[in-house]
Amino acid sequence: HSWRLGASSIGEECVRALWYKIHWAALDRFQGRMLRLFDHGDVEEERIVADLRRIGCVVREKDPATNWQYMAEWLDGHVVCFLDGLVTNVPGAPKKLHTLEAKSANDKNWRKLKKEGLESHAKYKAQVHLGMDGMGTDRALFFVTNKNDDDLHVERVELDRPYVQSLLGRPELAVRGKMPPPGISEDPTHW
């Protein structure tokens, strides 16, 4: 854990959960299998970037000023978004600058993505829109690979400014609040 919230976590429904994260109420401990899955995502990201370059896209993965991933911050650095890259020469919009969000998904999440698109995953949606906001762009390329059969799902996403503003109001309660804000349920069995 850290004193920062990642952009995807801002998409979580429960603001109290954000408060617990930023105040280190619980530390995540991952078994080897989960760590390998995280690593799989990094490998897949490299493949996605290579595929985009093969079709003529220009992908910049690192900020030349820092030689690290592009990053945007809000709330004095308490909310951060790391981008997989910036892309130009996208088919259909060659001059438009896009942020890149590269993901992989299992079959269950893949089917939901194919049916509903980015709207089906609140965390991904938050990350994609905050990435655009942070980089000052109004387009993103959301690129997802099915882990089971390598099928691809690609969306060009347009920035939704009112949605971004609604997102940025949520972590303020978590970051600045001395006490946990109300949760989404008072039922202790409601996960």
Side-chain angles (χ1 to χ4, degrees):
H1 269 328
S2 81
W3 54 273
R4 304 187 301 184
L5 295 168
S8 64
S9 67
I10 305 306
E12 289 183 13
E13 183 180 0
C14 183
V15 177
R16 178 177 268 198
L18 298 178
W19 189 91
Y20 285 136
K21 279 184 181 183
I22 199 103
H23 290 89
W24 293 26
L27 298 177
D28 293 328
R29 299 196 194 288
F30 299 108
Q31 299 294 320
R33 179 181 168 276
M34 283 305 298
L35 295 173
R36 285 190 305 278
L37 282 172
F38 295 151
D39 185 55
H40 176 83
D42 292 340
V43 170
E44 195 56 37
E45 182 183 318
E46 291 172 14
R47 287 180 65 200
I48 288 170
V49 167
D51 286 345
L52 287 169
R53 286 183 173 140
R54 276 193 280 279
I55 65 165
C57 293
V58 176
V59 183
R60 292 175 290 167
E61 299 168 86
K62 294 183 179 181
D63 183 339
T66 64
N67 206 32
W68 291 89
Q69 275 185 300
Y70 287 95
M71 181 184 78
E73 298 177 317
W74 300 264
L75 286 173
D76 302 322
H78 288 289
V79 176
V80 295
C81 182
F82 293 95
L83 290 113
D84 295 327
L86 297 175
V87 185
T88 53
N89 208 31
V90 173
K95 293 186 188 323
K96 194 74 168 164
L97 179 65
H98 293 69
T99 58
L100 173 64
E101 192 55 48
K103 299 287 185 194
S104 61
N106 62 25
D107 267 338
K108 178 182 174 186
N109 286 324
W110 177 259
R111 285 190 299 274
K112 192 172 181 183
L113 251 174
K114 285 303 270 188
K115 184 177 180 183
E116 302 169 34
L118 179 60
E119 295 293 320
S120 68
H121 288 75
K123 287 183 169 192
Y124 293 167
K125 181 180 176 184
Q127 190 171 14
V128 166
H129 284 275
L130 286 173
M132 285 185 275
D133 180 70
M135 291 292 109
T137 68
D138 61 358
R139 292 290 186 279
L141 195 60
F142 180 58
F143 200 118
V144 187
T145 305
N146 184 321
K147 291 179 188 182
N148 299 80
D149 65 8
D150 275 343
D151 197 4
L152 301 176
H153 174 80
V154 182
E155 283 182 59
R156 282 187 65 226
V157 180
E158 187 172 346
L159 178 64
D160 181 343
R161 290 189 198 288
Y163 171 68
V164 169
Q165 291 309 309
S166 72
L167 282 176
L168 292 175
R170 302 179 80 238
E172 179 113 26
L173 294 170
V175 170
R176 309 257 189 256
K178 301 278 186 231
M179 298 297 292
I184 59 173
S185 173
E186 294 300 320
D187 178 357
T189 64
H190 183 271
W191 56 270

